[in-house]
Coordinates of all heavy atoms in Angstrom, one line a residue:
M9 N 1.7 5.8 -16.9 CA 1.0 5.6 -15.7 C 0.5 4.2 -15.6 O -0.2 3.8 -16.5 CB -0.1 6.6 -15.5 CG 0.4 8.0 -15.5 SD -0.6 9.3 -14.8 CE -2.2 9.1 -15.5
A10 N 0.9 3.5 -14.6 CA 0.5 2.1 -14.4 C 0.1 1.8 -13.0 O 0.7 2.4 -12.1 CB 1.6 1.1 -14.9
L11 N -0.9 1.0 -12.8 CA -1.3 0.7 -11.4 C -0.3 -0.3 -10.8 O 0.3 -1.2 -11.5 CB -2.7 0.0 -11.4 CG -3.9 0.9 -11.6 CD1 -5.2 0.1 -11.6 CD2 -3.9 2.0 -10.6
L12 N 0.0 -0.1 -9.6 CA 1.0 -0.9 -8.9 C 0.4 -1.3 -7.5 O 0.2 -0.5 -6.6 CB 2.3 0.0 -8.6 CG 3.4 -0.6 -7.9 CD1 4.0 -1.8 -8.7 CD2 4.5 0.4 -7.6
P13 N 0.1 -2.6 -7.4 CA -0.5 -3.1 -6.1 C 0.7 -3.3 -5.1 O 1.7 -3.9 -5.5 CB -1.1 -4.4 -6.5 CG -0.4 -4.9 -7.7 CD 0.1 -3.6 -8.4
L14 N 0.5 -2.8 -3.9 CA 1.5 -2.9 -2.9 C 0.9 -3.6 -1.7 O -0.3 -3.3 -1.3 CB 2.0 -1.5 -2.5 CG 2.8 -0.7 -3.5 CD1 3.2 0.6 -3.0 CD2 4.0 -1.5 -4.0
S15 N 1.7 -4.4 -1.0 CA 1.3 -4.9 0.3 C 1.8 -3.8 1.3 O 2.9 -3.4 1.3 CB 2.0 -6.2 0.5 OG 1.8 -6.7 1.8
A16 N 0.9 -3.4 2.2 CA 1.2 -2.3 3.0 C 0.6 -2.4 4.4 O -0.4 -3.0 4.6 CB 0.7 -1.0 2.4
S17 N 1.3 -1.8 5.4 CA 0.8 -1.6 6.7 C 1.1 -0.2 7.2 O 1.9 0.5 6.6 CB 1.4 -2.7 7.7 OG 2.8 -2.4 7.9
F18 N 0.4 0.1 8.3 CA 0.6 1.4 8.9 C 1.1 1.1 10.3 O 0.6 0.3 11.0 CB -0.7 2.3 9.0 CG -0.4 3.7 9.2 CD1 -0.2 4.6 8.2 CD2 -0.3 4.2 10.5 CE1 0.1 5.9 8.4 CE2 -0.1 5.5 10.8 CZ 0.2 6.4 9.7
R19 N 2.2 1.8 10.7 CA 2.8 1.5 12.0 C 1.7 1.6 13.1 O 1.0 2.6 13.2 CB 3.9 2.5 12.3 CG 4.7 2.2 13.6 CD 5.8 3.2 13.8 NE 6.8 3.0 12.8 CZ 7.8 4.0 12.6 NH1 7.8 5.1 13.3 NH2 8.7 3.7 11.7
G20 N 1.7 0.6 13.9 CA 0.7 0.6 15.0 C -0.6 -0.2 14.7 O -1.4 -0.4 15.6
D21 N -0.8 -0.5 13.4 CA -1.9 -1.3 13.0 C -1.6 -2.8 13.0 O -0.4 -3.2 12.9 CB -2.4 -0.8 11.6 CG -3.7 -1.4 11.2 OD1 -4.5 -1.8 12.1 OD2 -4.1 -1.3 10.0
I22 N -2.6 -3.6 13.0 CA -2.4 -5.0 13.0 C -2.7 -5.7 11.7 O -2.3 -6.8 11.5 CB -3.3 -5.7 14.1 CG1 -4.8 -5.5 13.7 CG2 -3.0 -5.3 15.5 CD1 -5.8 -6.3 14.5
A23 N -3.2 -4.9 10.7 CA -3.6 -5.4 9.4 C -2.6 -5.1 8.4 O -1.9 -4.1 8.4 CB -5.0 -4.9 9.0
V24 N -2.5 -6.0 7.4 CA -1.7 -5.7 6.2 C -2.7 -5.5 5.1 O -3.7 -6.3 4.9 CB -0.8 -6.9 5.8 CG1 -0.1 -6.7 4.5 CG2 0.2 -7.1 7.0
L25 N -2.5 -4.4 4.3 CA -3.5 -4.0 3.3 C -2.9 -4.3 1.9 O -1.7 -4.3 1.7 CB -3.8 -2.5 3.4 CG -4.2 -2.0 4.8 CD1 -4.2 -0.5 4.8 CD2 -5.6 -2.6 5.2
L26 N -3.8 -4.4 1.0 CA -3.4 -4.4 -0.5 C -3.9 -3.0 -1.0 O -5.1 -2.7 -0.9 CB -4.1 -5.5 -1.2 CG -3.8 -5.6 -2.7 CD1 -2.3 -5.8 -3.0 CD2 -4.7 -6.6 -3.4
V27 N -2.9 -2.2 -1.4 CA -3.3 -0.9 -1.8 C -2.8 -0.7 -3.2 O -1.7 -1.0 -3.6 CB -2.5 0.2 -0.9 CG1 -2.8 1.6 -1.3 CG2 -2.9 -0.1 0.6
L28 N -3.7 -0.2 -4.0 CA -3.4 0.1 -5.4 C -2.9 1.6 -5.5 O -3.7 2.5 -5.1 CB -4.6 -0.1 -6.3 CG -5.0 -1.5 -6.7 CD1 -6.3 -1.5 -7.5 CD2 -3.9 -2.2 -7.4
V29 N -1.8 1.8 -6.1 CA -1.2 3.1 -6.3 C -0.8 3.2 -7.7 O -0.8 2.2 -8.5 CB 0.0 3.4 -5.3 CG1 -0.4 3.2 -3.9 CG2 1.1 2.5 -5.6
D30 N -0.5 4.4 -8.1 CA 0.0 4.7 -9.5 C 1.5 4.7 -9.4 O 2.0 5.3 -8.4 CB -0.6 6.0 -10.0 CG -0.3 6.2 -11.5 OD1 0.9 6.5 -11.8 OD2 -1.2 6.1 -12.3
D31 N 2.2 4.2 -10.4 CA 3.6 4.2 -10.3 C 4.2 5.6 -10.4 O 5.4 5.9 -10.1 CB 4.3 3.3 -11.4 CG 4.0 3.8 -12.8 OD1 3.2 4.7 -13.0 OD2 4.7 3.2 -13.7
Q32 N 3.4 6.6 -10.7 CA 3.8 8.0 -10.7 C 3.5 8.8 -9.4 O 3.8 9.9 -9.3 CB 3.1 8.7 -11.9 CG 3.6 8.2 -13.3 CD 5.1 8.3 -13.5 OE1 5.6 9.4 -13.4 NE2 5.7 7.2 -13.8
D33 N 2.8 8.1 -8.5 CA 2.5 8.7 -7.2 C 3.8 8.9 -6.4 O 4.7 8.1 -6.5 CB 1.6 7.8 -6.4 CG 0.2 7.8 -6.8 OD1 -0.2 8.6 -7.6 OD2 -0.6 6.9 -6.4
T34 N 3.9 10.0 -5.7 CA 5.1 10.2 -4.8 C 4.9 9.3 -3.6 O 3.8 8.9 -3.3 CB 5.2 11.7 -4.4 OG1 4.0 12.0 -3.7 CG2 5.3 12.6 -5.7
A35 N 6.0 9.2 -2.9 CA 6.0 8.4 -1.6 C 5.0 9.0 -0.6 O 4.3 8.4 0.1 CB 7.4 8.3 -1.0
E36 N 4.9 10.4 -0.6 CA 4.0 11.1 0.3 C 2.5 10.7 -0.1 O 1.7 10.4 0.8 CB 4.2 12.6 0.2 CG 3.2 13.4 1.0 CD 3.4 14.9 0.9 OE1 4.3 15.3 0.1 OE2 2.8 15.6 1.6
V37 N 2.2 10.7 -1.3 CA 0.8 10.3 -1.8 C 0.5 8.9 -1.4 O -0.6 8.5 -0.9 CB 0.7 10.6 -3.3 CG1 -0.6 9.9 -3.8 CG2 0.7 12.0 -3.6
V38 N 1.5 8.0 -1.6 CA 1.3 6.6 -1.3 C 1.1 6.4 0.2 O 0.2 5.7 0.7 CB 2.5 5.7 -1.7 CG1 2.4 4.3 -1.1 CG2 2.6 5.7 -3.2
G39 N 1.8 7.1 1.0 CA 1.7 7.1 2.5 C 0.3 7.6 2.9 O -0.4 7.0 3.7
R40 N -0.2 8.6 2.2 CA -1.6 9.1 2.6 C -2.7 8.1 2.1 O -3.7 7.9 2.8 CB -1.8 10.5 1.9 CG -1.2 11.6 2.7 CD -1.6 12.9 2.2 NE -0.6 13.3 1.2 CZ -0.9 14.0 0.1 NH1 -2.1 14.3 -0.2 NH2 0.0 14.3 -0.8
K41 N -2.4 7.4 1.0 CA -3.4 6.4 0.5 C -3.4 5.2 1.5 O -4.5 4.6 1.6 CB -3.0 5.9 -0.9 CG -3.3 6.9 -2.0 CD -2.9 6.3 -3.3 CE -3.3 7.3 -4.4 NZ -3.1 6.8 -5.8
I42 N -2.4 4.9 2.2 CA -2.4 3.9 3.2 C -3.0 4.4 4.5 O -3.9 3.8 5.1 CB -0.9 3.4 3.5 CG1 -0.3 2.8 2.2 CG2 -0.9 2.4 4.6 CD1 1.2 2.6 2.3
A43 N -2.6 5.6 4.9 CA -3.1 6.2 6.2 C -4.6 6.4 6.2 O -5.2 6.2 7.2 CB -2.4 7.5 6.4
V44 N -5.2 6.7 5.1 CA -6.7 6.9 5.0 C -7.5 5.7 5.5 O -8.6 5.9 6.1 CB -7.1 7.4 3.6 CG1 -7.1 6.2 2.7 CG2 -8.5 8.1 3.7
H45 N -6.9 4.6 5.4 CA -7.6 3.4 5.9 C -7.4 3.0 7.3 O -8.1 2.2 7.9 CB -7.2 2.1 5.0 CG -7.5 2.3 3.6 ND1 -8.7 2.2 3.0 CD2 -6.6 2.5 2.5 CE1 -8.7 2.4 1.7 NE2 -7.4 2.6 1.4
V46 N -6.4 3.7 7.9 CA -6.0 3.3 9.3 C -6.0 4.4 10.3 O -6.5 4.2 11.4 CB -4.6 2.6 9.2 CG1 -4.1 2.2 10.6 CG2 -4.6 1.4 8.2
A47 N -5.4 5.5 10.0 CA -5.1 6.6 10.9 C -6.5 7.1 11.5 O -7.4 7.5 10.7 CB -4.4 7.7 10.3
G48 N -6.6 7.2 12.8 CA -7.8 7.6 13.5 C -8.8 6.5 13.6 O -9.9 6.8 14.1
R49 N -8.5 5.4 13.1 CA -9.5 4.2 13.1 C -8.9 3.1 14.0 O -9.3 2.8 15.1 CB -9.8 3.7 11.7 CG -10.5 4.7 10.9 CD -10.8 4.3 9.5 NE -11.4 5.4 8.8 CZ -11.9 5.2 7.6 NH1 -11.9 4.0 7.0 NH2 -12.4 6.2 7.0
R50 N -7.8 2.4 13.5 CA -7.2 1.4 14.2 C -5.8 1.8 14.8 O -5.2 1.1 15.6 CB -7.0 0.1 13.3 CG -8.3 -0.5 12.9 CD -8.1 -1.8 12.2 NE -7.2 -1.7 11.1 CZ -7.5 -1.5 9.8 NH1 -8.8 -1.4 9.5 NH2 -6.6 -1.5 8.8
A51 N -5.3 2.9 14.3 CA -4.1 3.5 14.8 C -4.3 5.0 15.1 O -5.1 5.6 14.4 CB -2.9 3.2 13.9
P52 N -3.6 5.6 16.0 CA -3.8 7.0 16.3 C -3.4 7.9 15.1 O -2.5 7.6 14.3 CB -2.8 7.3 17.4 CG -2.3 6.0 18.0 CD -2.6 4.9 16.9
A53 N -4.2 8.9 14.9 CA -3.9 9.9 13.9 C -2.7 10.7 14.4 O -2.5 11.0 15.5 CB -5.1 10.8 13.6
G54 N -1.9 11.2 13.4 CA -0.7 12.0 13.8 C -0.8 13.3 13.1 O -1.7 13.6 12.3
S55 N 0.1 14.2 13.5 CA 0.1 15.5 12.9 C 1.2 15.8 11.9 O 1.1 16.7 11.1 CB 0.2 16.6 14.0 OG 1.4 16.4 14.8
G56 N 2.2 14.9 11.9 CA 3.3 15.1 11.0 C 3.0 14.5 9.6 O 1.9 13.9 9.4
P57 N 3.9 14.7 8.7 CA 3.7 14.1 7.3 C 3.8 12.6 7.4 O 4.4 12.0 8.3 CB 4.9 14.7 6.5 CG 5.9 15.1 7.5 CD 5.2 15.4 8.8
V58 N 3.2 11.9 6.4 CA 3.2 10.5 6.3 C 4.4 10.1 5.5 O 4.6 10.6 4.4 CB 1.9 9.9 5.7 CG1 2.0 8.4 5.6 CG2 0.7 10.4 6.5
R59 N 5.2 9.2 6.0 CA 6.4 8.7 5.4 C 6.3 7.2 5.0 O 5.4 6.6 5.6 CB 7.7 8.9 6.3 CG 7.9 10.3 6.8 CD 8.2 11.3 5.6 NE 9.3 10.9 4.8 CZ 10.6 11.2 5.0 NH1 10.9 12.0 6.0 NH2 11.5 10.8 4.1
V60 N 7.1 6.7 4.1 CA 7.0 5.3 3.6 C 8.3 4.7 3.7 O 9.3 5.3 3.2 CB 6.4 5.3 2.2 CG1 6.5 3.8 1.7 CG2 5.0 5.8 2.1
R61 N 8.4 3.5 4.3 CA 9.6 2.7 4.4 C 9.5 1.5 3.5 O 8.5 0.8 3.5 CB 9.8 2.3 5.8 CG 11.1 1.5 6.0 CD 11.3 0.9 7.5 NE 10.8 1.8 8.5 CZ 11.6 2.8 9.1 NH1 12.8 3.0 8.7 NH2 11.1 3.5 10.0
H62 N 10.6 1.3 2.7 CA 10.6 0.1 1.8 C 12.0 -0.5 2.0 O 13.0 0.1 1.8 CB 10.4 0.5 0.4 CG 10.5 -0.6 -0.6 ND1 11.6 -0.6 -1.5 CD2 9.7 -1.6 -0.9 CE1 11.5 -1.7 -2.2 NE2 10.3 -2.3 -1.9
E63 N 12.0 -1.8 2.3 CA 13.3 -2.6 2.5 C 14.3 -1.8 3.4 O 15.4 -1.7 3.0 CB 13.9 -2.9 1.1 CG 13.0 -3.8 0.3 CD 13.6 -4.2 -1.0 OE1 14.6 -3.6 -1.4 OE2 13.1 -5.2 -1.6
G64 N 13.8 -1.3 4.5 CA 14.6 -0.6 5.5 C 15.0 0.8 5.2 O 15.6 1.4 6.0
R65 N 14.6 1.4 4.1 CA 15.0 2.8 3.8 C 13.7 3.6 3.7 O 12.7 3.1 3.1 CB 15.9 2.9 2.6 CG 15.2 2.6 1.3 CD 16.1 2.7 0.1 NE 15.4 2.4 -1.1 CZ 15.0 3.3 -2.0 NH1 15.2 4.6 -1.8 NH2 14.3 2.9 -3.1
I66 N 13.8 4.8 4.2 CA 12.7 5.7 4.1 C 12.8 6.4 2.8 O 13.8 7.1 2.4 CB 12.7 6.7 5.3 CG1 12.5 5.9 6.6 CG2 11.5 7.7 5.1 CD1 12.7 6.8 7.8
L67 N 11.7 6.3 2.0 CA 11.7 7.0 0.7 C 11.5 8.5 0.8 O 10.7 9.0 1.6 CB 10.5 6.4 -0.2 CG 10.5 4.9 -0.4 CD1 9.3 4.5 -1.3 CD2 11.8 4.5 -1.1
P68 N 12.2 9.3 0.0 CA 12.0 10.7 0.0 C 10.6 11.0 -0.4 O 10.0 10.4 -1.3 CB 13.0 11.2 -1.0 CG 14.0 10.1 -1.2 CD 13.3 8.9 -0.9
A69 N 10.0 12.0 0.3 CA 8.6 12.3 0.1 C 8.2 12.6 -1.3 O 7.2 12.2 -1.8 CB 8.2 13.5 1.0
G70 N 9.1 13.2 -2.1 CA 8.8 13.6 -3.5 C 9.2 12.6 -4.5 O 8.9 12.8 -5.7
Q71 N 9.8 11.5 -4.1 CA 10.2 10.4 -5.0 C 9.0 9.6 -5.5 O 8.1 9.2 -4.8 CB 11.2 9.5 -4.4 CG 11.7 8.5 -5.4 CD 12.8 7.6 -4.8 OE1 12.8 7.3 -3.6 NE2 13.8 7.2 -5.6
R72 N 8.9 9.5 -6.8 CA 7.9 8.6 -7.4 C 8.2 7.2 -7.2 O 9.3 6.7 -7.3 CB 7.8 8.9 -8.9 CG 7.4 10.3 -9.2 CD 7.0 10.6 -10.7 NE 6.9 11.9 -11.0 CZ 5.9 12.7 -10.6 NH1 4.9 12.2 -9.9 NH2 5.9 14.0 -11.0
V73 N 7.2 6.4 -6.8 CA 7.4 5.0 -6.4 C 7.9 4.2 -7.6 O 8.6 3.2 -7.4 CB 6.2 4.4 -5.7 CG1 5.9 5.1 -4.4 CG2 4.9 4.4 -6.6
G74 N 7.5 4.5 -8.8 CA 8.0 3.8 -9.9 C 9.5 4.0 -10.1 O 10.2 3.1 -10.6
E75 N 10.0 5.1 -9.7 CA 11.5 5.4 -9.8 C 12.2 4.8 -8.6 O 13.4 4.7 -8.6 CB 11.7 6.9 -9.9 CG 11.1 7.5 -11.1 CD 11.1 9.0 -11.0 OE1 11.4 9.6 -10.0 OE2 10.7 9.7 -12.0
A76 N 11.5 4.5 -7.5 CA 12.1 4.0 -6.3 C 12.4 2.5 -6.4 O 13.0 1.9 -5.5 CB 11.2 4.2 -5.1
G77 N 12.0 1.8 -7.5 CA 12.3 0.4 -7.7 C 11.3 -0.5 -7.0 O 11.5 -1.7 -6.9
L78 N 10.1 0.0 -6.7 CA 9.1 -0.9 -6.1 C 8.5 -1.7 -7.2 O 8.2 -1.3 -8.3 CB 8.0 0.0 -5.4 CG 8.2 0.4 -4.0 CD1 9.3 1.4 -3.9 CD2 7.0 0.8 -3.3
S79 N 8.2 -3.0 -6.8 CA 7.6 -4.0 -7.7 C 6.2 -4.3 -7.2 O 5.9 -4.1 -6.0 CB 8.5 -5.2 -7.8 OG 9.7 -4.9 -8.3
P80 N 5.4 -4.9 -8.1 CA 4.1 -5.4 -7.6 C 4.2 -6.3 -6.4 O 5.0 -7.2 -6.3 CB 3.5 -6.1 -8.8 CG 4.1 -5.5 -10.0 CD 5.5 -5.2 -9.5
L81 N 3.3 -6.0 -5.4 CA 3.2 -6.7 -4.1 C 4.4 -6.5 -3.2 O 4.4 -7.2 -2.1 CB 2.9 -8.2 -4.3 CG 1.6 -8.4 -5.1 CD1 1.4 -9.9 -5.3 CD2 0.4 -7.8 -4.4
D82 N 5.3 -5.6 -3.5 CA 6.3 -5.3 -2.5 C 5.6 -4.8 -1.2 O 4.6 -4.1 -1.2 CB 7.2 -4.2 -3.0 CG 8.4 -4.7 -3.8 OD1 8.4 -5.9 -4.0 OD2 9.2 -3.9 -4.3
Y83 N 6.3 -5.0 -0.1 CA 5.8 -4.6 1.2 C 6.4 -3.2 1.6 O 7.6 -3.0 1.5 CB 6.2 -5.6 2.3 CG 5.8 -5.1 3.7 CD1 4.5 -5.2 4.1 CD2 6.7 -4.6 4.5 CE1 4.1 -4.7 5.4 CE2 6.4 -4.1 5.8 CZ 5.1 -4.2 6.2 OH 4.7 -3.7 7.4
V84 N 5.5 -2.3 2.0 CA 5.9 -1.0 2.5 C 5.2 -0.7 3.8 O 4.1 -1.3 4.1 CB 5.6 0.2 1.5 CG1 6.4 0.0 0.2 CG2 4.1 0.3 1.2
E85 N 5.8 0.1 4.6 CA 5.2 0.5 5.9 C 5.1 2.0 5.9 O 6.1 2.7 5.6 CB 6.1 0.1 7.1 CG 5.5 0.6 8.4 CD 6.5 0.5 9.6 OE1 7.7 0.7 9.3 OE2 6.1 0.2 10.7
A86 N 3.9 2.5 6.2 CA 3.7 4.0 6.3 C 3.7 4.3 7.8 O 3.3 3.5 8.7 CB 2.4 4.3 5.6
F87 N 4.0 5.6 8.1 CA 4.0 6.1 9.5 C 4.1 7.6 9.5 O 4.5 8.2 8.5 CB 5.2 5.5 10.3 CG 6.6 5.9 9.7 CD1 7.3 7.0 10.2 CD2 7.1 5.1 8.6 CE1 8.5 7.3 9.6 CE2 8.3 5.5 8.1 CZ 9.0 6.6 8.6
F88 N 3.6 8.2 10.6 CA 3.7 9.6 10.8 C 5.1 10.0 11.2 O 5.7 9.4 12.1 CB 2.7 10.1 11.8 CG 1.3 10.1 11.3 CD1 0.4 9.2 11.8 CD2 0.9 11.0 10.3 CE1 -0.9 9.2 11.3 CE2 -0.4 11.0 9.9 CZ -1.3 10.1 10.3
D89 N 5.7 11.0 10.6 CA 7.0 11.5 10.9 C 6.8 12.6 11.9 O 6.5 13.7 11.6 CB 7.7 12.0 9.7 CG 9.2 12.4 10.0 OD1 9.6 12.3 11.1 OD2 9.9 12.8 9.0
E90 N 6.9 12.3 13.2 CA 6.6 13.2 14.3 C 7.8 14.0 14.8 O 7.8 14.4 15.9 CB 5.9 12.4 15.5 CG 4.6 11.7 15.1 CD 3.5 12.6 14.8 OE1 3.5 13.8 15.1 OE2 2.4 12.1 14.3
R91 N 8.8 14.1 14.0 CA 10.0 14.8 14.5 C 9.8 16.2 14.8 O 9.1 17.0 14.4 CB 11.1 14.7 13.4 CG 11.7 13.3 13.4 CD 12.9 13.3 12.5 NE 12.5 13.0 11.2 CZ 13.2 13.1 10.1 NH1 14.4 13.5 10.2 NH2 12.8 12.7 8.9

């Protein structure tokens, strides 16, 4: 288990955040760690699960970010999956 700092934003927000996650966190957990700072504050809260996009691909909710190839300070975008 190692800390992994990510550059992150939440769809609809204007700010880019520095978020510390664990490399063993799943993409779903990372999405929630980003959403807690934004959803219902600067961007609307949603009812669907939080998803994470990295380099144009949406990470599977159960995939650990350390296994997804994310590196320190990589940029990710979180968003509510309202399908």
Side-chain angles (χ1 to χ4, degrees):
M9 297 200 313
L11 287 179
L12 180 64
L14 297 175
S15 176
S17 67
F18 197 88
R19 186 179 294 164
D21 191 16
I22 60 169
V24 176
L25 309 169
L26 178 64
V27 179
L28 285 176
V29 301
D30 190 287
D31 66 348
Q32 296 299 305
D33 286 346
T34 62
E36 180 181 2
V37 169
V38 170
R40 283 189 268 139
K41 286 182 176 182
I42 298 166
V44 73
H45 299 286
V46 179
R49 296 176 185 193
R50 293 188 307 267
S55 58
V58 180
R59 304 297 304 269
V60 173
R61 180 184 322 273
H62 175 251
E63 295 183 348
R65 69 182 179 101
I66 298 173
L67 302 179
Q71 184 175 32
R72 298 191 189 286
V73 294
E75 297 167 352
L78 275 71
S79 299
L81 300 180
D82 273 2
Y83 173 78
V84 296
E85 177 194 33
F87 60 95
F88 286 109
D89 188 358
E90 300 289 350
R91 289 189 268 168

